[in-house]
Amino acid sequence: MAALNTDSKKKEVELKANPLAGLLVFRSMVTGVKTVQTDGLPDDLKAAFSEAITTLNRTTEVFDGWPDKPDEVLAYLKERMKEDPRYMENFSAKMNAMGKEMDAMSKKMDEMGKKYGFDNLQTADSPSK
């Protein structure tokens, strides 16, 4: 978790410099989440986490082919829209569908958090309750 927090702080700086970076930060976040060890977790929690990883992976697929550098995203999108005038419309539809899956995944993880007592975990940046 400490490594994820450190990476998050680095990404915050990048986001302030270029808001489009937020779209790409997601990919690196998913890579970090995949490294979390689930050995020894209760079966239902392990299954929920595995389902979350699957949902996160499907969401990153929406960005397949996108450049890795945030300052290249706008040019990439302009080129894609020249090739396919409905690119952004189709992209938005995919993102809306993934948003619904992400909401369901988040709800499931919240339920697991309440069940196993990690619903009040705080990072260094979280406000005190």
Side-chain angles (χ1 to χ4, degrees):
M1 289 306 283
L4 289 175
N5 284 336
T6 300
D7 190 51
S8 292
K9 288 186 184 297
K10 179 182 172 192
K11 297 300 180 191
E12 281 181 40
V13 173
E14 292 174 14
L15 287 173
K16 287 179 184 174
N18 183 350
L20 285 174
L23 298 173
L24 303 174
V25 167
F26 188 74
R27 287 194 284 197
S28 66
M29 185 272 307
V30 172
T31 300
V33 170
K34 288 180 192 178
T35 66
V36 174
Q37 296 296 312
T38 59
D39 298 340
L41 291 178
D43 288 343
D44 60 342
L45 179 56
K46 191 174 187 175
F49 191 79
S50 178
E51 290 171 18
I53 296 289
T54 299
T55 298
L56 292 170
N57 279 330
R58 278 199 310 271
T59 302
T60 61
E61 290 171 3
V62 174
F63 300 103
D64 279 352
W66 284 44
D68 290 328
K69 296 180 181 176
D71 58 341
E72 296 174 359
V73 171
L74 196 52
Y76 170 81
L77 290 175
K78 286 180 180 178
E79 186 61 33
R80 292 300 310 261
M81 288 185 288
K82 279 185 198 173
E83 296 168 5
D84 178 4
R86 295 187 62 182
Y87 178 78
M88 288 308 292
E89 180 182 335
N90 294 334
F91 176 77
S92 291
K94 289 177 187 176
M95 288 301 294
N96 286 334
M98 289 315 307
K100 290 176 185 173
E101 286 190 45
M102 292 288 289
D103 288 345
M105 180 264 302
S106 181
K107 181 179 178 187
K108 180 68 173 178
M109 292 307 293
D110 286 345
E111 290 169 6
M112 292 290 106
K114 288 176 184 165
K115 180 176 180 179
Y116 290 104
F118 59 85
D119 57 325
N120 291 320
L121 289 181
Q122 296 185 9
T123 65
D125 296 335
S126 297
S128 297
K129 290 190 176 186

